[in-house]
Structures are given as C-alpha cells and as structure tokens.
C-alpha cells in the first residue's frame, strides 16, 4: 500500500530523481569540522520553530511586549523552555556560524570554484548578526531599549548615509512603537525569508561543487 502510494507520488513529483540529485552522493571526506555548516542549519531551523511558537503569545506593542514575555516565562506551559532555547540558540548560532566561517577560511575552501559560496556566506553571517540585533529589542526591557539606542546610534554614524539608516531603523528620531514594529517585521519575516533563500542557494552550490577536501602535507 505504501509502495503503491510512493510510486504514484514519484511518478508525479519525481521524488526518486530529487533524492538522487540531493542526497545520493558519495560521502564527503571530512571530519568533525565539516559538521559545523549542518549545525548552523539545524540551529536556523530550531530558531524558526521556537520563534513561531513565541509569536503565539508575544505582542509587538510598547504597552504589551514586556508583559507578554513575562507571561510566556511564567504563565504559558513550557514557555520558559521555548524562550530559553530561542534565547540561547541565538547566541549559539552566531558562535557556530562564525566557527564554520573560520573553518572554511583555514582550509582555504573559499577559493575557486567556491568564491560565490563564500560571498553568500558573508551575507549569511551578516543576516545572522542582524537577526540577533533585531531580536534583542523585542522583550522591551531596559537592556533591550538601551542596546537598541546605542546600536542605532552607531549605525547613524556611518558617513553620508548614516542619518538615513538611523531614520529607517528607528522610524523617526526616538525608539518608539514604530521602531518595535519595524524590528519585529524584520526579525520574524524579512530576514528569515532572506536567510532561507541564501541558505537554499548555499546548499545548492555545495551539492554542485561537492565538499572541498582538507589540505594535506602535499598541498
Ligand atoms: C546560516 C549560516 C550558514 C549555514 C546554514 C551554512 C551551511 C553550510 C553547510 C551545510 C555546508 C556543508 C558542510 C560544511 O562544510 O560544514 C557549508 C559549507 C560552506 N560554507 Fe556555509 N553555512 C553558513 C554560513 C557560512 C559563512 C558565514 C560562510 C563564509 C563567510 C560560509 C561559507 C561556506 C563555504 C565556502 C562552504 C564550502 C566548504 C567546502 O566545500 O569545504 N558559510 N555551509
């Protein structure tokens, strides 16, 4: 019965071809350092899933943001756990993505034909950091408020376009309801969508070029 169902779907969706193209490849010759890209991917998915649960109770308005987080921590069943995973997962993701990048640099895997994937990786690192920055404001406690005040002021000090960036980030001159909704929209929708698209392209290029081998004495 399952075989028949699979054959029916395979005929229409090309599941076998998809499996062969993406997963049925020779095992790359690597070591534990080669697992950090997949660890980054795992953390991205984990952040997405826990983030979706958090949006069920979180309210992105200045009057309710702080209280909604307190409610998640004390009133919602396992809310503390979901928020804890999301909170520490964010720090861990920055760390793991960074070490993954260092590994790629040390093994010189950014060279031909992987230059484009390195550049996409730079985009991934910047987006991961930006996710951390935008997420930091959402609990709207004192730490969040002042960190965003400092962060947006630093962005505002960029020569020539600083004033523009400052206004776009804050939605005015002060940290306000507009800043919170902008950061929320960027954090839960714009940046994850951009990250997902870049990760898709990153993985496509890895499948296309294969994993680079670790340099040995001869190299
Ligand atoms: C969300 C962030 C990221 C995810 C999910 C991700 C995912 C992956 C995965 C699954 C691999 C294959 C396994 C491995 O070699 O570890 C890989 C390889 C690679 N990544 Fe990333 N990556 C991310 C960030 C970055 C960054 C920040 C850079 C560099 C700036 C980068 C550059 C590369 C390159 C050049 C390869 C090919 C390495 C080789 O062939 O040996 N990635 N990535």
């Amino acid at each position: 019965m399952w075989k028949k169902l699979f054959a029916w779907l395979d005929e229409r969706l090309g599941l076998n071809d998809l499996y062969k193209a993406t997963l049925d490849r020779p095992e790359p010759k690597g070591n534990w350092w080669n697992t950090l890209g997949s660890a980054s991917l795992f953390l991205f998915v984990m952040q997405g899933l826990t983030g979706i649960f958090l949006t069920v109770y979180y309210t992105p308005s200045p009057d309710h943001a702080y209280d909604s987080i307190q409610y998640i921590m004390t009133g919602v069943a396992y809310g503390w756990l979901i928020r804890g995973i999301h909170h520490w997962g964010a720090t861990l993701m920055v760390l793991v993505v960074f070490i993954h990048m260092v590994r790629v640099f040390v093994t010189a895997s950014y060279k031909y034909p992987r230059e484009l994937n390195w550049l996409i990786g730079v985009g991934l690192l910047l987006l991961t950091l930006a996710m951390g920055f935008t997420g930091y404001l959402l609990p709207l406690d004192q730490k969040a408020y002042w960190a965003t005040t400092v962060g947006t002021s630093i962005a505002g000090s960029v020569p020539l376009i600083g004033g523009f960036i400052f206004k776009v980030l804050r939605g005015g001159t002060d940290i306000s309801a507009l800043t919170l909704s902008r950061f929320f929209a960027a954090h839960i929708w714009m940046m994850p969508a951009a990250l997902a698209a870049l990760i898709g392209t990153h993985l496509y290029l890895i499948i296309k070029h294969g994993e680079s081998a670790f340099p040995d004495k001869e190299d």
Side-chain angles (χ1 to χ4, degrees):
M1 140 99 177
W2 292 114
K3 265 191 180 166
K4 265 191 179 169
L5 181 66
F6 182 81
W8 191 88
L9 283 173
D10 183 35
E11 219 177 325
R12 280 147 189 88
L13 294 172
L15 294 177
N16 261 326
D17 293 343
L18 200 67
Y19 170 78
K20 275 193 191 132
T22 53
L23 295 172
D24 194 12
R25 292 170 290 125
E27 192 188 329
K29 279 196 208 84
N31 57 33
W32 282 99
W33 293 104
N34 292 74
T35 59
L36 291 168
S38 304
S40 311
L41 181 62
F42 172 81
L43 287 167
F44 172 70
V45 173
M46 193 71 135
Q47 290 302 95
L49 290 178
T50 49
I52 289 170
F53 279 119
L54 288 175
T55 57
V56 175
Y57 288 100
Y58 175 75
T59 316
S61 85
D63 292 344
H64 299 107
Y66 181 81
D67 292 335
S68 63
I69 295 280
Q70 296 312 308
Y71 183 61
I72 288 172
M73 293 301 279
T74 52
V76 179
Y78 296 105
W80 57 272
L81 183 64
I82 299 291
R83 189 190 173 212
I85 295 174
H86 198 76
H87 180 92
W88 292 106
T91 309
L92 193 63
M93 185 169 165
V94 171
L95 199 71
V96 171
V97 168
F98 188 77
I99 304 174
H100 168 59
M101 183 185 71
V102 172
R103 182 301 271 174
V104 170
F105 181 76
V106 168
T107 56
S109 307
Y110 51 81
K111 289 186 181 174
Y112 174 85
R114 297 185 180 81
E115 308 94 320
L116 253 187
N117 224 11
W118 171 268
L119 290 178
I120 289 169
V122 173
L124 286 173
L125 178 71
L126 293 178
L127 275 172
T128 306
L129 293 173
M131 285 292 284
F133 180 60
T134 49
Y136 208 83
L137 175 67
L138 303 185
L140 214 60
D141 50 16
Q142 284 290 318
K143 219 166 58 169
Y145 181 86
W146 291 108
T148 306
T149 304
V150 172
T152 47
S153 298
I154 293 173
S157 65
V158 172
L160 300 176
I161 52 166
F164 174 73
I165 299 175
F166 183 84
K167 271 201 179 152
V168 169
L169 287 177
R170 288 197 181 182
T173 47
D174 300 319
I175 307 278
S176 64
L178 213 54
T179 323
L180 186 61
S181 37
R182 282 183 186 202
F183 274 47
F184 182 66
H187 188 76
I188 72 151
W189 173 228
M190 299 173 202
M191 288 176 183
L195 262 170
L198 283 186
I199 289 176
T201 322
H202 201 63
L203 296 181
Y204 163 73
L205 289 179
I206 289 156
I207 290 172
K208 181 168 168 50
H209 298 301
E211 279 275 306
S212 69
F214 267 60
D216 54 25
K217 266 189 189 160
E218 304 296 308
D219 303 313

